[in-house]
Amino acid sequence: MEYRWRYADGVGADVPGPDLAFGDQTEAEDWLSANWPDLLDGGIDEVTLVHDGKPVYGPMGLHPPTAT
């Protein structure tokens, strides 16, 4: 019973990223909140939260919204 992040590029193709397991959703989300800029710099454009191999939510883009 673990949570993991699945990583993708700008066209939705899976890309490698940190292979970390979290005990609960809050722990996974806290880690992402602290590390999303590094993921973006590493070529990861979006993430999906997965629990025991099933998507919880996502894909969620890491790019900040642009002003109009």
Side-chain angles (χ1 to χ4, degrees):
M1 303 295 171
E2 62 189 22
Y3 289 83
R4 293 182 177 271
W5 290 105
R6 183 182 310 150
Y7 310 102
D9 63 15
V11 295
D14 288 345
V15 296
D19 186 22
L20 303 170
F22 303 94
D24 60 43
Q25 185 171 338
T26 300
E27 183 182 355
E29 291 170 342
D30 288 347
W31 178 86
L32 182 64
S33 292
N35 292 282
W36 71 266
D38 294 332
L39 297 175
L40 193 56
D41 288 344
I44 296 169
D45 294 298
E46 53 188 42
V47 295
T48 299
L49 183 62
V50 178
H51 180 242
D52 293 334
K54 297 178 183 159
V56 176
Y57 63 80
M60 176 176 67
L62 297 180
H63 292 273
T66 57
T68 55

